[in-house]
Amino acid sequence: MSYPSDFSTRLKPAAPDGATVIAKERERSNINITQLSEHLMGSEYLERQRKVLAILSQEKIFSKSTQANLSRPDRYKLGLARGKRMRQLQDKHSWDDDDFLMAEYLVDDIQPYHLHISLFTAAVREQASDEQRAYWIPKIAAWEIIGAYAQTELGHGSDVRGIETEARWDPTAKEFVLHSPTITASKWWNGTLGRTANYAVVIAQLMLLEDGGYKPYGPHPFIVQIRDLKTHRPPQSIVVGDIGPKYGYAPMDNAYCLFNQHRIPHSAMLSRHSRIDPQTGVYTKPKNPSSVYGQLTRGRSVIVMNARLVLARAVTVAVRYLSIRRQFHDQDNPTQPLETSVLDYTTVQIRILPLLATTFALHYSGAYVRQLYERTRKNDTTIDAVDEASLSELHSTSAGLKSLATTLAADGIEVCRRSMGGHGFGGGTGLVQLNADYLSKPTVEGDNWMITQQVARYLIKKFKERAHSLNSHALSQTEEHFKIYIYGQSQEPKFDVLKRDQAIVDAFNWRMACIACRAYDAREIEKRSWNSLLIDFHKLSRAYSQAMLVSNFYTATADNSDDMAALDASTRAVLLDLFRLFALYTMDSEAREFQNSGAVSSEDLDKLPAKVLELMERIRPHAVRLVDAWAIPDYLLDSALGRYDGKVYEDLFYRAHMMNPLNRLIFNPDYQTDEIVMGSGDAGQILAKL
Amino acid sequence: MSYPSDFSTRLKPAAPDGATVIAKERERSNINITQLSEHLMGSEYLERQRKVLAILSQEKIFSKSTQANLSRPDRYKLGLARGKRMRQLQDKHSWDDDDFLMAEYLVDDIQPYHLHISLFTAAVREQASDEQRAYWIPKIAAWEIIGAYAQTELGHGSDVRGIETEARWDPTAKEFVLHSPTITASKWWNGTLGRTANYAVVIAQLMLLEDGGYKPYGPHPFIVQIRDLKTHRPPQSIVVGDIGPKYGYAPMDNAYCLFNQHRIPHSAMLSRHSRIDPQTGVYTKPKNPSSVYGQLTRGRSVIVMNARLVLARAVTVAVRYLSIRRQFHDQDNPTQPLETSVLDYTTVQIRILPLLATTFALHYSGAYVRQLYERTRKNDTTIDAVDEASLSELHSTSAGLKSLATTLAADGIEVCRRSMGGHGFGGGTGLVQLNADYLSKPTVEGDNWMITQQVARYLIKKFKERAHSLNSHALSQTEEHFKIYIYGQSQEPKFDVLKRDQAIVDAFNWRMACIACRAYDAREIEKRSWNSLLIDFHKLSRAYSQAMLVSNFYTATADNSDDMAALDASTRAVLLDLFRLFALYTMDSEAREFQNSGAVSSEDLDKLPAKVLELMERIRPHAVRLVDAWAIPDYLLDSALGRYDGKVYEDLFYRAHMMNPLNRLIFNPDYQTDEIVMGSGDAGQILAKL
């Protein structure tokens, strides 16, 4: 686009300009950013980020500046081109999987091959027999075939047992017949399958002949060719396509897919865990039916770690912009020369600074879940052998954290956006696409409300065990909290949360145990219906997960581990304030539960808002350096408001005046003519696009 | 698009299909939908909706089915074409202003002429002298000129006094010189100005010579030609364009605009309220500086009435879809033949049914504000003469309600979306664009957090007056609540909210008065800083506005007015349950404030969740008919999930398989070639669009 040469090029922003302001903000704090960055992200990660970013920034195809102007079909084309280029760069620079994932993360625009490298590859790896692995994995690794993962259907998502797609075993032909009996049986949402993939792992109800009729044996995975490798067209027995525009993920081709008596060979059934004997037709059941949980749990730990970075992005943009933006003079000092920095208003601080603290809270718990998962995995080399009890604890834990973390992040992006006022609604935030994409997270990998039942079910079971026997064997942490509560119930402990940090953690655990006790009473003693308790279960899961966040945050900051000892004392003091802010802000939001459970006195709860104000005042000068520590590059932020150098207004104007294709056209505003572009004679042309 | 003829055309959804389910839902309730619709919307409105819809549905240009696929420039072109067509239809069918507004509402895609017919016209009507009106109004009415309203700047939004654009009076040439001294002085966000308008009312700092230098006289309105009426290009002294893609409002050309010593005649200053004598240069101040509030207040009453309809749309989609969608069997009855309707889960009800009740709460308060505004206007024919005191009460009232109503609606859309799980993220909701567009509302016409200060300032002033003199003159309702609180403070009333509806209203007013009293103490007695109290002020405004919603809802439903008497007794009973649900759900969310203020006993507050469950169970069978009563046509909903006939899955599949332009293309997935569309040789072409 040619640069219009006009008087606007001479103009500067009103003083003080953003670059000056943000430099002063950085002078107000002595946090060692490099140190804190390495503490949070690890030097390996930061080095990888630098390395991959240097390569991506050389390539025009990864420029984000104008992609928001493109049509949906062009967004897909761009996504496909980017996916190809990423893989070419992987070949060229010998990127490992983590490098490739870093490239995807930085480009931040889902690419249509994504399900091939994630769920499809994982499904084949975990569900295929050794023989099947040997055949498929090399083709998959070389992208000779492109695969998708087709589980969800139009009529069924969360409830996998309800899926309608059938795979009937035909003992004569020794083939399976894939069939969609209804329109609701259509596969739906399956990424990469809509336009890109030529293969898919299809989850279908296995149907076997029994007493002269077909009987269902539950959902099983089949690897199925969907499109011809030359023409890229499906056979007549498969109808497949992209479901159309969604909230986000414009470049991804989420699919619908129907099968009409589509025959696949016996070898199509991925048979690591269960199989059909081709000769006898005898079915072998999976040894460990819970093996599927491992993958789900891993997915959730990734989601929690991702939530912290997504929220950190939104908070980075908000903190930087809001410290530069000034609006209104202080009511009590109307003659001050400068208007007030928006981040100095308490009504803005109360929205942003607790979220800043939340990024750290999520970090320490995300790290905890990852460690726990890896520890459980290490008990044996295969997932099948993972100890059932630990897996069940981890599973319930990760479900609650997934729910809370993605809710905090999704809601947090919007809180950040609204805090930025008018410019928060504009394209210059860098949050438009992030928000639209991220809004999927409260739903995928287990709906955030639905999965809290799992947490409650687990906690009620544990509470029941402890209520009957306090001192059986070695107790888990949760069981210890239950024990403390059951012993201490009558004493109303009133933890001194304003004076002792450990008391804050104790108060969160006490309140969790109290709500668990009530849920146990309601379900096990009063025998109330499951459905009537679901809201209480959701509150229990939230209380449990908040206690986890608070506890892990405190453990991490209070510890004298090597990791924490590497930080300056002043930085550690700020981290401790962030812990207090997160915990006490959360406590204030849920004050009545802390009061009713007897964990904190009403007098202390009344003092929380003042305490939160005091903590925010202490943290405020460090806000810019704290977001800097998350080390989110400008390329990823793609935000005029959040750029590192503070040139907010210059960039907003540049994007509008120089980067907007709409400004290349002159229009005809006369309503009596249907011409749109002045002098083009294009009357009626736009109709053809509808 | 040609219809692919394949086996999918033969398929039906799994039984029971949506049409059957929703018919049964409608059988469960005896609410008279026609009656309730007329009660809510008025028969004139419903007739207008029918009339305009019949015309719009004849025109392909207003078809919404594929617009989400278009590029941003095409969205603007489509918007311009639609705006033209709407005006042509207005001429053809002699539509009045309300008909035209109805067309805009139904098409539901902001059209680029919108600021011409709204703020530009209003500004000229209210700010121009009689002579200026006579000159401009006919041209504006005939769309001979297209105008915009340019107030907000890159550096200043809410704080109008901070705007930088200058209008210097040149006494020699007898002209004003419009000038943008900095880049932050650029006009910004001004709809219709980016590409469409040739005129604008520009708000600029009036600068007059005084003691040899220019002194600012505050912001004033000037009518300025921006583009040539023939070429549609701006002069060299104006830089103007569209700011680029935003969260929503894709068809609107929000502008940036800079002036470089741009000269405009003396007649350009709109001089109804203040003027410059062209001969002497003497400035006449506006008589009533608050006259600007009238327009703002009216704007806010429209926003509240609009919020109820927007929320009703989201709730309509959610209620219809969630009663059709089934997922999982009841835990306590696993052998039931059908899975549970999602709307029967209490965790879904608690999100949707209070929002359903909120649409009615907003309705009765929106109607109340509109009546109040119209009553104030009727005191005199011109806004200048409006009684200052009533205007001030109305202004603070409307600010609080605007803040609460738009927050409830904006958050409510997202709650509805998430409640719909996977399909809630898809384009079939009909909420994608609504959400993106509506997210502007918590910010425009006064940021929702910022404007709560106005409510607090007003209430503190009123509380101070009452604290010093309880029985002066006739008291407003708010002052009566203060009086009751001041007299009764020591008695801790504990309103019996579970038994008496009036007690619910009293409890809300008591809690409001208690928070007002604390705010008064903190500011007036303890002399705490304004900034340190902003969070408390926000809570006060929320408490005040919630009390208004609850009080107006109760007054309307309990009254024996003609309006209410026209409804069947059974319908009135459901409305009363909706009132209780809204009020008690809100009370439960804010329980600690009700407890601390002494309005409700802790024991009663503990019983609220059970009471809310009970109310939801009573309202549940009426849910579908209640949303039907909002009479939102399928054309406006544009939602596969929310369609009246319940054919959810059929429509989702049809939209995906038949209406998606991406499915017309076959792609090349081989990463080793840069070709995108199979066989097209288009390698590298997508780069040209970046």
Side-chain angles (χ1 to χ4, degrees), chain A residues 581-598:
Chain A
L581 176 60
F582 174 77
L584 298 181
Y585 173 84
T586 304
M587 188 180 286
D588 185 38
S589 315
E590 318 267 5
R592 200 154 183 278
E593 286 186 2
F594 284 89
Q595 182 172 355
N596 281 4
S597 68

Side-chain angles (χ1 to χ4, degrees), chain B residues 117-144:
Chain B
I117 62 163
S118 55
L119 275 188
F120 177 68
T121 304
V124 174
R125 197 189 297 122
E126 290 173 25
Q127 312 276 351
S129 67
D130 291 345
E131 194 188 354
Q132 286 171 323
R133 278 184 187 169
Y135 180 79
W136 290 111
I137 296 284
K139 291 180 198 294
I140 293 169
W143 291 27
E144 275 173 38

